[in-house]
Amino acid sequence: MIEYKLNLAGCQCSVVEWNPDGSILVFALHGWLDNLATFESLVEFMPDLRIVAIDFPGHGHSDHIPPGVTYHFVDGIYLIDDLLRHFEQKQINLLGHSMGGAISTLYAASLPDRVKAMVLIESIGPLTAKPEDGVSLLNRSVNQRAALAGKRKPVYTSFDQALTARADVSEVEKNLIKPLVERALVKVEDGYTWRADSRLRITSPVRMSEAHLVEVLSNIEAPVLLIEGEKGFITDSELLQTRKQSIQYLEVVQIPGGHHLHLEQPQTCAAQIQTFFQKIG
């Protein structure tokens, strides 16, 4: 494993490379309030893939954005494009879980000639909103931002207490999510707290409508593999199931597990990922 920092979309981001001798370069993008360690359990089962994983701004070991600035979900497309340019690639392969997959779909739609293939884990586009909900989203975002000034991050007296809390929220066994939690925590005077920027919890003030997103997804030209959990978010959502019809070249595989199925079934999930990228070439 190699770890270093890159300036991506104006932020110093932590980057980790696994399998540096792998023949197929893949950029791996994690989910909201997760970090790049979410892919750690997969890499040993994907030796042919050179995995370049990042901590998004405000997550893991990456820097937080400056005070007074807001995280915008869509800014992730600039980060992906900066990765492409840093590695001097004309086309890239993307692997994204949850939020990372949603950002990948936006990038693949906006610049279809730059994405060779894409694997989505429990992800098929970002959250949307009905037009009539636009004002309430704006209201909620402004009020949440103002309320942050009086909030303090939770502090856990021990690592195990924090690990238990995160495992319960994610509905994943503690031993499976431990690497992610280790990277997510920072030691403070009276215990442990989360590294992640609290501003990440502020609701996005603006979201696409579902009709808008469907048009965006239909512009994806790269072949896409969607890996969904039998008990995950996509399986349980009629709306997300409908989005599948918008993507031109889509394969779907369902694996036992929930939203973090890649932690629960790393070998099975990795086999699907590596085989798909090898097939594309």
Side-chain angles (χ1 to χ4, degrees):
M1 184 183 86
I2 307 167
E3 183 162 4
Y4 50 90
K5 289 256 185 158
L6 287 178
N7 189 297
L8 302 171
C11 184
Q12 286 294 310
C13 295
S14 286
V15 181
V16 163
E17 289 193 40
W18 287 291
N19 304 331
D21 296 326
S23 58
I24 301 173
L25 176 63
V26 177
F27 296 154
L29 308 169
H30 64 78
W32 179 64
L33 294 180
D34 285 355
N35 56 63
L36 62 78
T38 195
F39 300 108
E40 186 174 312
S41 60
L42 297 174
V43 293
E44 66 174 299
F45 304 112
M46 306 188 301
D48 290 346
L49 304 186
R50 178 189 174 193
I51 302 294
V52 173
I54 65 154
D55 284 333
F56 277 111
H59 296 76
H61 291 183
S62 288
D63 288 359
H64 297 184
I65 60 175
V69 181
T70 301
Y71 289 93
H72 296 290
F73 173 86
V74 73
D75 287 352
I77 65 173
Y78 307 131
L79 185 147
I80 294 174
D81 206 51
D82 285 354
L83 272 176
L84 175 144
R85 295 176 189 283
H86 175 81
F87 285 92
E88 300 180 334
Q89 301 294 302
K90 293 182 178 180
Q91 281 194 314
I92 54 176
N93 297 301
L94 296 173
L95 166 63
H97 171 242
S98 196
M99 179 188 74
I103 292 172
S104 296
T105 62
L106 297 186
Y107 185 78
S110 59
L111 296 156
D113 59 317
R114 297 185 188 177
V115 178
K116 186 175 186 180
M118 181 164 58
V119 175
L120 307 175
I121 303 174
E122 277 285 292
S123 180
I124 187 164
L127 293 172
T128 56
K130 297 176 181 178
E132 57 267 32
D133 294 332
V135 172
S136 63
L137 272 177
L138 290 167
N139 178 279
R140 193 186 320 163
S141 183
V142 171
N143 286 331
Q144 287 177 348
R145 178 180 178 274
L148 273 184
K151 288 186 177 180
R152 181 173 182 252
K153 289 183 180 180
V155 175
Y156 305 92
T157 56
S158 68
F159 173 83
D160 190 67
Q161 186 184 34
L163 176 61
T164 300
R166 179 57 203 267
D168 289 346
V169 168
S170 299
E171 298 181 343
V172 177
E173 293 179 15
K174 291 197 295 184
N175 63 306
L176 300 180
I177 206 167
K178 184 179 178 181
L180 194 154
V181 174
E182 287 175 337
R183 191 171 181 87
L185 287 175
V186 62
K187 191 82 170 64
V188 292
E189 185 177 351
D190 43 356
Y192 296 85
T193 193
W194 304 111
R195 290 179 180 271
D197 194 333
S198 297
R199 286 172 289 175
L200 292 165
R201 294 183 177 274
I202 299 173
T203 298
S204 298
V206 178
R207 290 176 183 165
M208 294 183 193
S209 68
E210 191 64 21
H212 185 175
L213 178 62
V214 165
E215 285 298 316
V216 170
L217 294 178
S218 68
N219 204 53
I220 296 173
E221 296 178 1
V224 179
L225 172 65
L226 169 61
I227 304 176
E228 59 182 63
E230 289 181 357
K231 298 180 180 179
F233 289 175
I234 295 176
T235 304
D236 290 340
S237 171
E238 183 178 346
L239 179 68
L240 297 184
Q241 289 292 329
T242 301
R243 289 184 190 178
K244 294 177 181 179
Q245 301 169 17
S246 305
I247 298 178
Q248 299 176 46
Y249 307 104
L250 178 68
E251 295 181 31
V252 181
V253 175
Q254 194 173 93
I255 291 177
H259 189 58
H260 285 80
L261 62 92
H262 59 298
L263 300 180
E264 299 172 276
Q265 304 283 344
Q267 189 167 1
T268 302
C269 192
Q272 293 289 342
I273 296 167
Q274 178 162 276
T275 299
F276 179 76
F277 282 127
Q278 287 173 328
K279 179 175 64 176
I280 304 304

